[in-house]
Amino acid sequence: MRHSAKSKPLAVCTICRALIDPKQRVNQRCGQTVHGRRCAGTFRSDLSYVWDPCRGCEATGFLGSLPCVDCGGYGWRLFGG
Ligand SMILES: [Zn+2]
Ligand SMILES: [Zn+2]
């Protein structure tokens, strides 16, 4: 099965740096749980972020039929993050 490369994530959490989920929107509160508490960050898009395509999955988010562990299935990572 062949997966095509994903487009870059639109936003990232201001606190935990989670990448935005397709079900979430920019400026929406982050839904990640960090140390048992809901993260207080919001998703912001920032053009200064540099995205790096995941080398493990070549930005497809998949390794074979499984989501890529390196990038959490997003296909992209924050450069330096
Ligand atoms: Zn967060
Ligand atoms: Zn990956």
Side-chain angles (χ1 to χ4, degrees), residues 5-77:
K6 291 177 183 287
S7 49
K8 293 180 193 179
L10 292 174
V12 65
C13 174
T14 50
I15 293 184
C16 72
R17 300 222 145 196
L19 305 186
I20 199 165
D21 198 88
K23 292 178 289 248
Q24 293 169 306
R25 290 163 192 247
V26 176
N27 296 329
Q28 196 176 2
R29 197 170 156 198
C30 175
Q32 296 291 318
T33 305
V34 185
H35 305 303
R37 292 181 163 200
R38 190 167 167 198
C39 176
T42 44
F43 289 109
R44 299 264 186 230
S45 68
D46 188 331
L47 297 177
S48 69
Y49 289 137
V50 180
W51 297 101
D52 219 11
C54 177
R55 288 187 194 99
C57 62
E58 295 178 325
T60 62
F62 283 91
L63 285 175
S65 57
L66 296 172
C68 175
V69 253
D70 283 346
C71 60
Y74 286 100
W76 292 82
R77 307 168 66 150

